[in-house]
Amino acid sequence: MSGIDREIICIVCPTGCRIRVRGANQQKLTVGGNECKRGEEYALKEITDPRRTLITTVRIDHGSLKRLPVRTNREIPKESIFPCMEVINRARVEAPVQIGQVIIPDILGTGADVVATRSMGVPPRA
Amino acid sequence: MFEVAIIGAGVIGTLIARELSRFKADVALLDKSNDVAGGSTKANSGIIHAGYDAEPGTSKARFNILGNPLFDVLCEQLDVRFDRIGSLVVAFSRSERETVEQLYRRGIQNGVAGLRIIEREELLSLEPNLDEAAVCALHAPQAGIVDPWEIAVAAAENAADNGVEVIFNFPVEAIERDNGWFRLIGPAGEIRARRLINCAGVFADRIHEMVSPPSFSIIARKGQYFVLDKAAGQLVNHVIFQCPTRAGKGVLVTRSVHGNLLVGPDAQEIEDREDLATTRERLDFVRRSAGKISKRIPFGEVIRSFSGLRATPNTKDFIIQECEEVPGFFDAAGIESPGLTAAPAIARYLRELLAEVVGGLEERKGFDPRRRRVIRFMDLPEGRKNELIRKDPRFGRIICRCEQVTEGEIVDAIHRKVGARTLDGVKKRVRPGMGRCQGGFCGPQVLEILARELGKDATAIVKNEVDSYILTGATKCCGDRERSVRTNPLAEQKAEYHGQG
Amino acid sequence: MDRVEIVVIGGGPAGMAAAVAAREAGLENVLLIERDRELGGILQQCIHNGFGLHRFKEDLTGPEFSERYIHRMGELNIPVKLDTTVLEITGNREVLYINAAEGVRTVAAGAIVLAMGCRERSRGAINIPGSRPAGVFTAGTAQRLINMEGYMVGKRVMMLGTGDIGLIMARRLTLEGAKVIAVLARKPYPGGLMRNVAQCLYDYDIPLLLRHTIVEIVGKDRVTGVLVAETDQNSRPIPGSEELYECDTVILSVGLIPENELSLSAGVKLDPHTGGPIVDETRQTSVPGIYACGNVVYVHDLVDFVVEESEIAARGAAGFVLGSEGGEAETVEGEGRGSDDRKDAPVHVLPGGGLKYVVPQRIRGINGEDPLDLFLRVKRVYGRSFIEVRYGGDVLKRVKRLRLNPGEMERLRLNKSEMERINEVDLIVEAVEVGG
C-alpha cells in the first residue's frame, strides 16, 4: 500500500492554512504548512479520524417558531452526518425549550448529544 | 351560461367587463392566467398619452383622444393613482426639430389641447437633467402616468362587485357554435355565452381564428425595461420621449406613479408569443438609447428589469368591431400603444355597440362605478392611522419595509373581490416586493399571510401562475440514504479551478 | 412626547451590544426598537457556528451568541419594543415608530444609535437576464425560510456567489436533502473563507466553478435551468462559452448592502465606498447625536467585531448625552485638515490605491490618549504586500502582510505618537503589492 500524501484546508480558524500531511502509514505522519499547533492537531485528526460538528434544526411544536436550531455538542465522525440527520429529522420536540437542553442524547452512539442552541418559549395565545 | 363572455382580463377586458356590469345581463370575464393583467397590461410604460402621436383618422387617434380625459374620473372611481405630469418629446438635433413640429401639427389635427413647442432655455429649466444637446421639445400637459396593473385589478374588482363572474385558469382552446350560443372549451370544462368579446392581447388572432378566419394577424413585439430605485425618481419631472422613428416611440424615461424611475422600452419582433425573457443585448441597447435623453441616469440604482409583449396588428390600427361573418363575436384586438390611454374609451364604445346590437340591454339598479376605497396607510394623516390601528391592529405591523406596507393592507387586498391569491398578486395590489430589496425580507412574511388568510399550506402558495411553486415542502420530510460526506481530504475533490488570475 | 436618553434602532447583535454598553456606561433610560417578533436580528437564522471566538473565546452558533445578549438585556431590564418599525428620524432626533399596540408614536432621543444592519443584493440589482420564474432566492431569504419557517426552497440548486453566506447555505441545503449542482464565482478565487469552502463544499462534493457566472435564467413558471458562462480577466462573461445547467432553484449570494433608508431620512451623509454613514472614531455620523454601528456602517466579517464597534458607538452616544446639555458637538463634516487650518477640524481618512474602503472616515480626537483602529477592506487578492498610511507626502505607518483578501477585513492600529504627527493634512491608506 502506498504512503499518505494529502493536502487539506484547516477549518479551525478563519486563516484556513493549506496543510500537507505525509507519511508511510497512519502512525508515522508528518505535517507542514500550518501556522499553529491547533492546525497540526486538526490535520492529523482529519487523516485518521475526520469529524465535524453537525448543526441543523429539529421540528418543535407549540413554539414561537416551527423549527428549533440544534447542534451536536461535540464532533461526530463524518460518515455519521447523514445517518444522524435522519434521526434528527424524525424527532419532534415540545416547547418550551431551554438553550443547551439535550434533545437527543448520545446520537447513534457517537457520544455526542444533540442540544438546543436557543431557548424557545410558547407564544401567548392571540 | 352567460350573456357575454370576455376573453382576456387585461386592462381592456376588465374595463369592458366593468362597463357591461351596468346591465342586468350575466357577464363572465375569463383569463388563461391565474390573475388579472397577466399579459401586456403587466409590462408597459403606464403612460396616458396626449394624442399627438397617432395617425389622424385612425381608431388609435380617435380612442386616444376620447380616452385621455376620462382618466381623472376613472381613477377617482377606481381609487387608483394617476398623475397628469405632462410629457415632452425632445429634439436633440436641428433635424429632429422638424419631427417635433410635425408631431405638434398632428396633435392639433387630432384635437389635442394645450400643446406647445418649448425652446432650449425653458426646456432645460424644466428638466435640468436632460442631455446638453436638447434643442426644443413638444410639451403636452395632458399626458400622465398610471399603474396599469392597478387599473386592471380595480376594474376587475369593481366589475365583480357589480356581478361579473371572473374565471381564471381558463385558456380557450376551441370555440364551437351551438344554436345561437358560443361554447368556449377549456381544458377543465366549458362555458357558454351568447356573445363574445375578444380581448386576448397577443393571442387575439388565434382566438378569432377559432370562429372565423381573421382579417388581421398579431405580431408580438417585446419591449424591455429597467426600474430604478425611488432615489432616482426625481431625475425628470415629465414623461420624456425621444423623437419617434418607424420602430415606434423609442426608449423613454419617466417617473412611475409610485416614484420609481422607468427606462425603456425597446421594440423587437419575436416569434414565440410566450417569450418574456429579458436579454443582455437588448437591455444594453435600452441603456445606450436612454443615454441620448440624459447622461445622468443612475444605472447603479437599478432594482429590476422586465419585459412585456405588445400585440401589434398587421393592419397598424386597433380592430374594434363586430365580426361580420360571425355576429355576436366582437374584437377589441391589436391594442398596442396608445392602448392603455384608449382603454376606457374602447370599453365605453363596446358597451354602446353591444347595447345597440343586442337591442336594449337593461340597466341594473345598484350599479356602483366606485370601488371601495383602498387604504394607503402611509398616505393617511397620523390621527387616521392611529384610529385605524385601534380598530384593526394589523395596520400597526409593517410587513414591507421598503415600501412601508402594513399587514392590514395586505389582508385587505386578499379579501376583496378578485383579491390576491399569489405572491405577485399581493405585489400588484399593494406593492410588497416592488422595493429595493425585491421581496427579500417581506417575501416569507407575505407567504405566511397568504397561507393564513386563504387557509392553505404555505407550500401551496405560488408566485403567479399555478405552476410557479415557491416552496417544495417542509424541511425534515426526507432523508437521502444515497448521500454521504466526503471522508477523504482535498486531493480527490472534484472542484474545477480555472487559474488564479 | 416620550423622551429617552438613547434610542437604539435594531435589535440584532449590533443594537443589543450598544444598548447593553449604554446602560453599563451609566445611562438609565435606554430604549431598543426592533421590527421582528424577537431579538437577535440576522443571527436568529445563522444557526451555524464560528461566532464568538474572539469575544467569548467559545465557538458559538448565531442563536447562542445572540442569546448571551438577549439574556444580558433582560438582566439589565432594558426596555424593548418588538414588532415595531421605525418610519422616520426627524432633524431633532425624534424617532417616529409604529406598532400594533401603540399605533404611530414619536419618542425624542438624547442620542440615537443606528444598528439596522444590511440587506442582500437582489437578482434585479445585478441584472441577470432571462425569464422571471419562481425559484430564484437570495441566500439569506432561503436561510430564513429553511432555518426559521421550516420550508425547503428547492431540490436541484445552482448557486451564484461564494461569499460565506452562500457557502454556508450550500451545505445547509445539502443537509436538508437538496442537490447543490454547483457553486459559481465570477472571480478566480472564492469570496468567502477557505475554511468554509472546505467544510461546506469539499466535504459534500459540491463542485466549485471559479471564473463562471450565470448569464441567463430559464423557466416559465418555475426555474428549469440556468445558462452558465466562463468569465474573463475582468470578470465579464465570455460569449460563446455558455452551457445550460438544469436546475429548479437559483440561489444568489452576491453581496450585502447596508440598509440606510432611515439614516438618509435623518440627514446622515453616506460614504459611497461603504454604503454606510461617514463616521468618526466614536462612530458619530455627520448628524450630531446620531451614532452608527454594525453592518449598517459597513459589512463586517465577524460579529465579534460588530459588538466591539457597538460598544464604541454606545460610549460615544452616552458621552454625547451626558456631556452636552443641548449643545451641539462638533460633527464629522467640515473641510478636511488639508484645506482647513483649524486644529480641531476633523482629519479625513481616505481609501487609496487597492482599497475598497476604510473606516472611520473621520478622526476628530487626533490629540486623544487612546490608540485608534482603522478598519479596511481591499478590492482584490494581494500576495505579499504592505498597507501604508500616508499624510501629505510622508509615510506615517507601513505594515507588512503575507496576503490581503477582499473577504477579510484588516485592522490597523494608530498609536498616540503616530497620531500626534498628523496635524496638517488628510490621511490616505493604501495597499501595495511587493514585487517578485
Side-chain angles (χ1 to χ4, degrees):
Chain A
M1 186 184 115
S2 59
I4 292 165
D5 185 355
R6 301 268 159 79
E7 195 189 65
I8 60 170
I9 293 172
C10 179
I11 63 171
V12 176
C13 89
T15 309
C17 297
R18 285 193 134 78
I19 302 180
R20 193 138 178 231
V21 185
R22 279 186 279 195
N25 55 51
Q26 293 212 344
Q27 279 69 48
K28 297 185 183 152
L29 292 172
T30 58
V31 170
N34 49 306
E35 282 178 17
C36 77
K37 188 95 175 104
R38 288 191 302 163
E40 181 182 332
E41 287 161 11
Y42 169 78
L44 291 170
K45 193 130 170 63
E46 190 67 6
I47 302 290
T48 57
D49 174 32
R51 291 179 170 248
R52 295 286 183 269
T53 304
L54 174 59
I55 296 179
T56 179
T57 55
V58 72
R59 270 190 278 217
I60 181 164
D61 295 323
H62 310 121
S64 53
L65 294 170
K66 288 189 269 200
R67 295 287 181 270
L68 175 75
V70 294
R71 66 183 298 172
T72 53
N73 61 358
R74 56 176 67 118
E75 295 182 321
I76 60 172
K78 272 169 109 166
E79 356 26 291
S80 307
I81 289 180
F82 279 101
C84 284
M85 279 297 295
E86 282 189 37
V87 174
I88 295 170
N89 286 351
R90 286 195 291 271
R92 271 188 118 102
V93 164
E94 187 76 28
V97 164
Q98 276 294 99
I99 187 172
Q101 181 173 322
V102 174
I103 308 296
I104 302 170
D106 189 20
I107 184 165
L108 288 183
T110 57
D113 298 332
V114 174
V115 302
T117 60
R118 61 165 285 174
S119 304
M120 189 179 290
V122 179
R125 279 191 187 284
Chain B
M1 297 206 305
F2 298 93
E3 193 62 43
V4 185
I6 301 165
I7 303 171
V11 72
I12 303 294
T14 52
L15 283 172
I16 292 175
R18 176 175 175 261
E19 285 295 331
L20 296 183
S21 71
R22 294 169 186 273
F23 302 116
K24 284 193 179 153
D26 287 333
V27 177
L29 174 63
L30 280 60
D31 202 289
K32 65 174 165 54
S33 287
N34 198 17
D35 199 353
V36 299
S40 307
T41 300
K42 186 162 78 163
N44 61 73
S45 316
I47 294 170
I48 306 308
H49 294 286
Y52 48 77
D53 189 82
E55 276 297 316
T58 58
S59 294
K60 281 183 177 181
R62 173 172 158 219
F63 287 108
N64 186 153
I65 297 294
L66 285 172
N68 181 305
L70 298 178
F71 272 83
D72 304 279
V73 172
L74 177 71
C75 293
E76 198 287 322
Q77 289 176 335
L78 294 180
D79 195 11
V80 299
R81 284 166 275 225
F82 171 54
D83 213 343
R84 240 181 237 287
I85 61 174
S87 67
L88 293 165
V89 182
V90 184
F92 290 99
S93 69
R94 288 224 307 258
S95 60
E96 287 189 342
R97 176 186 283 277
E98 273 180 47
T99 310
V100 166
E101 289 175 350
Q102 199 185 0
L103 288 173
Y104 173 79
R105 286 193 295 273
R106 198 189 297 169
I108 300 292
Q109 202 182 346
N110 279 335
V112 181
L115 290 175
R116 270 197 319 145
I117 295 187
I118 63 179
E119 295 301 326
R120 186 187 152 81
E121 199 182 314
E122 187 185 351
L123 178 60
L124 289 176
S125 77
L126 285 176
E127 295 288 357
N129 289 312
L130 276 189
D131 191 275
E132 291 272 290
V135 162
C136 66
L138 175 65
H139 176 225
Q142 304 289 17
I145 50 176
V146 85
D147 181 340
W149 285 4
E150 282 199 323
I151 297 197
V153 161
E157 178 186 332
N158 188 225
D161 277 336
N162 283 308
V164 171
E165 187 160 334
V166 181
I167 301 167
F168 292 121
N169 299 306
F170 196 105
V172 174
E173 293 177 331
I175 304 178
E176 284 172 20
R177 317 275 299 284
D178 180 12
N179 247 346
W181 290 92
F182 290 100
R183 285 172 54 215
L184 300 174
I185 301 170
E190 119 177 4
I191 288 174
R192 283 166 172 265
R194 286 203 185 280
R195 334 225 170 261
L196 295 181
I197 308 184
N198 175 15
C199 308
V202 148
F203 295 101
D205 53 351
R206 307 258 177 90
I207 294 291
H208 191 116
E209 214 162 42
M210 294 178 189
V211 299
S212 128
S215 57
F216 62 92
S217 66
I218 301 290
I219 301 143
R221 280 195 311 145
K222 195 196 288 187
Q224 304 189 29
Y225 294 84
F226 289 102
V227 181
L228 281 69
D229 191 298
K230 288 181 178 181
Q234 313 289 352
L235 189 84
V236 296
N237 300 308
H238 301 76
V239 179
I240 311 287
F241 292 101
Q242 308 182 33
C243 281
T245 63
R246 264 199 319 264
K249 295 188 179 70
V251 169
L252 58 92
V253 177
T254 181
R255 162 164 80 74
S256 80
V257 85
H258 302 293
N260 295 100
L261 195 72
L262 191 64
V263 178
D266 69 320
Q268 184 198 7
E269 276 187 27
I270 56 162
E271 283 292 314
D272 177 1
R273 300 191 200 182
E274 311 234 286
D275 173 12
L276 285 171
T278 52
T279 61
R280 170 110 295 137
E281 308 76 53
R282 300 306 305 186
L283 286 174
D284 284 347
F285 168 81
V286 169
R287 186 191 297 235
R288 281 195 309 273
S289 181
K292 191 176 174 195
I293 292 178
S294 171
K295 299 284 180 289
R296 297 189 196 147
I297 301 172
F299 280 100
E301 301 278 348
V302 166
I303 58 176
R304 180 158 189 266
S305 51
F306 66 92
S307 75
L309 300 180
R310 307 163 180 87
T312 298
N314 66 333
T315 60
K316 308 250 192 302
D317 196 10
F318 295 157
I319 298 112
I320 305 173
Q321 63 204 19
E322 186 174 19
C323 174
E324 267 187 49
E325 297 82 33
V326 185
F329 184 96
F330 298 82
D331 286 303
I335 312 297
E336 55 168 359
S337 185
L340 177 62
T341 316
I346 294 172
R348 211 177 253 198
Y349 173 73
L350 268 155
R351 177 195 76 192
E352 283 158 10
L353 186 60
L354 232 84
E356 177 196 312
V357 157
V358 166
L361 286 172
E362 234 184 296
E363 297 228 351
R364 277 179 53 232
K365 275 205 185 60
F367 168 75
D368 188 355
R370 291 181 100 235
R371 169 166 89 134
R372 176 164 57 86
R373 304 292 87 180
V374 167
I375 294 165
R376 293 192 177 87
F377 188 81
M378 287 312 296
D379 293 344
L380 296 173
E382 189 165 309
R384 271 285 292 146
K385 284 189 174 99
N386 282 321
E387 202 183 296
L388 200 53
I389 293 173
R390 273 192 294 273
K391 265 199 297 222
D392 183 349
R394 288 174 299 192
F395 284 98
R397 282 194 73 218
I398 301 262
I399 300 296
C400 168
R401 241 237 64 209
C402 300
E403 301 285 310
Q404 299 194 323
V405 181
T406 65
E407 182 175 357
E409 292 161 271
I410 297 171
V411 170
D412 182 52
I414 293 170
H415 290 298
R416 287 177 174 248
K417 284 254 172 68
V418 199
R421 292 158 10 263
T422 65
L423 212 64
D424 278 3
V426 169
K427 184 165 84 161
K428 271 183 198 167
R429 289 160 176 78
V430 280
R431 307 216 12 110
M434 298 278 237
R436 57 182 60 89
C437 88
Q438 289 289 294
F441 265 124
C442 64
Q445 297 191 72
V446 174
L447 200 67
E448 196 111 6
I449 294 170
L450 278 164
R452 183 188 75 205
E453 296 297 320
L454 297 173
K456 288 170 150 180
D457 196 270
T459 53
I461 303 295
V462 297
K463 182 176 184 285
N464 40 43
E465 303 302 338
V466 292
D467 289 332
S468 64
Y469 64 92
I470 300 165
L471 305 171
T472 54
T475 53
K476 324 280 137 209
C477 66
C478 49
D480 190 335
R481 291 214 165 79
E482 266 25 34
R483 292 251 177 273
S484 66
V485 181
R486 146 185 302 288
T487 49
N488 292 315
L490 176 61
E492 280 133 272
Q493 59 84 20
K494 295 193 277 272
E496 296 171 40
Y497 276 79
H498 279 254
Q500 291 285 319
Chain C
M1 188 186 302
D2 295 327
R3 298 196 72 85
V4 295
E5 286 172 308
I6 294 196
V7 171
V8 177
I9 303 179
M16 289 196 289
V20 164
R23 175 61 73 78
E24 286 173 347
L27 293 180
E28 284 298 313
N29 199 350
V30 176
L31 171 67
L32 187 148
I33 301 181
E34 162 59 46
R35 66 175 163 173
D36 209 331
R37 274 174 280 213
E38 48 178 28
L39 291 171
I42 210 72
L43 287 183
Q44 296 310 87
Q45 63 187 61
C46 294
I47 65 171
H48 52 280
N49 57 346
F51 302 93
L53 289 163
H54 298 258
R55 173 47 58 123
F56 298 115
K57 306 276 183 283
E58 292 176 64
D59 183 9
L60 303 176
T61 62
E64 283 167 337
F65 186 98
S66 118
E67 192 143 329
R68 302 271 165 112
Y69 283 91
I70 295 173
H71 186 73
R72 188 79 184 118
M73 298 265 303
E75 275 182 344
L76 294 171
N77 253 316
I78 297 175
V80 174
K81 290 192 194 295
L82 294 173
D83 234 347
T84 302
T85 302
V86 174
L87 297 172
E88 210 186 308
I89 303 172
T90 68
N92 300 318
R93 292 190 299 276
E94 285 167 9
V95 177
L96 183 72
Y97 66 84
I98 182 176
N99 62 39
E102 299 177 87
V104 179
R105 301 238 342 211
T106 308
V107 59
I112 295 175
V113 177
L114 303 172
M116 295 87 73
C118 55
R119 66 174 188 274
E120 296 184 277
R121 193 168 270 121
S122 67
R123 174 202 176 165
I126 61 167
N127 267 318
I128 303 180
S131 57
R132 294 164 298 290
V136 181
F137 300 89
T138 50
T141 305
Q143 189 179 51
R144 170 139 199 152
L145 286 165
I146 295 173
N147 291 343
M148 292 176 72
E149 323 293 338
Y151 297 114
M152 265 316 262
V153 297
K155 299 199 155 101
R156 296 178 54 80
V157 180
M158 284 291 286
M159 183 175 298
L160 177 62
T162 52
D164 291 316
I165 306 175
L167 299 174
I168 295 287
M169 282 314 293
R171 177 177 65 184
R172 188 78 189 103
L173 284 157
T174 307
L175 284 174
E176 289 290 348
K179 169 108 181 100
V180 179
I181 300 164
V183 176
L184 313 180
R186 264 185 329 152
K187 305 243 156 139
Y189 48 82
L193 301 169
M194 277 314 290
R195 74 188 295 207
N196 285 329
V197 173
Q199 63 187 350
C200 299
L201 302 187
Y202 299 164
D203 269 5
Y204 295 89
D205 264 335
I206 298 172
L208 170 64
L209 302 182
L210 300 176
R211 281 237 176 137
H212 281 71
T213 190
I214 295 178
V215 293
E216 189 180 327
I217 295 180
V218 181
K220 188 169 167 296
D221 298 322
R222 173 85 189 192
V223 172
T224 55
V226 290
L227 270 186
V228 173
E230 292 177 40
T231 61
D232 61 21
Q233 58 268 50
N234 297 316
S235 300
R236 299 262 167 74
I238 298 172
S241 69
E242 299 90 2
E243 249 186 79
L244 179 69
Y245 282 74
E246 289 182 1
C247 62
D248 66 5
T249 310
V250 179
I251 302 274
L252 301 173
S253 175
V254 292
L256 299 173
I257 303 168
E259 187 78 82
N260 278 287
E261 268 298 280
L262 285 177
S263 318
L264 288 172
S265 84
V268 166
K269 294 218 168 58
L270 301 186
D271 175 358
H273 300 110
T274 55
I278 295 175
V279 292
D280 67 18
E281 72 277 16
T282 67
R283 294 305 182 271
Q284 180 166 234
T285 67
S286 62
V287 175
I290 300 188
Y291 292 74
C293 56
N295 279 351
V296 80
V297 181
Y298 65 91
V299 178
H300 292 58
D301 302 326
L302 293 183
V303 73
D304 305 68
F305 301 142
V306 163
V307 300
E308 201 186 308
E309 182 172 61
S310 299
E311 286 158 2
I312 295 171
R315 284 194 290 271
F320 182 87
V321 169
L322 296 170
S324 74
E325 291 303 338
E328 300 292 78
E330 163 107 43
T331 71
V332 300
E333 278 324 276
E335 303 297 314
R337 278 252 167 143
S339 46
D340 186 333
D341 278 333
R342 282 184 305 146
K343 285 273 187 251
D344 55 355
V347 171
H348 286 209
V349 185
L350 303 164
L355 253 60
K356 188 152 187 272
Y357 54 76
V358 57
V359 176
Q361 298 90 336
R362 302 285 184 268
I363 304 173
R364 276 197 295 124
I366 205 78
N367 302 311
E369 292 298 313
D370 301 323
L372 183 138
D373 285 336
L374 295 177
F375 295 87
L376 59 102
R377 202 181 278 283
V378 292
K379 283 184 186 160
R380 63 166 176 88
V381 169
Y382 282 78
R384 271 182 200 288
S385 46
F386 48 85
I387 302 172
E388 208 172 69
V389 182
R390 295 204 316 276
Y391 67 109
D394 299 330
V395 175
L396 174 67
K397 191 183 182 86
R398 180 185 281 165
V399 291
K400 282 197 271 214
R401 288 285 185 269
L402 281 179
R403 88 199 128 252
L404 293 170
N405 179 356
E408 276 173 70
M409 177 63 61
E410 283 293 324
R411 184 200 289 244
L412 200 65
R413 176 156 290 194
L414 298 180
N415 58 40
K416 181 174 150 71
S417 68
E418 282 162 338
M419 291 206 283
E420 274 169 357
R421 288 158 61 192
I422 313 163
N423 53 14
E424 298 282 341
V425 296
D426 299 331
L427 285 185
I428 299 187
V429 185
E430 221 168 57
V432 183
E433 197 146 30
V434 173

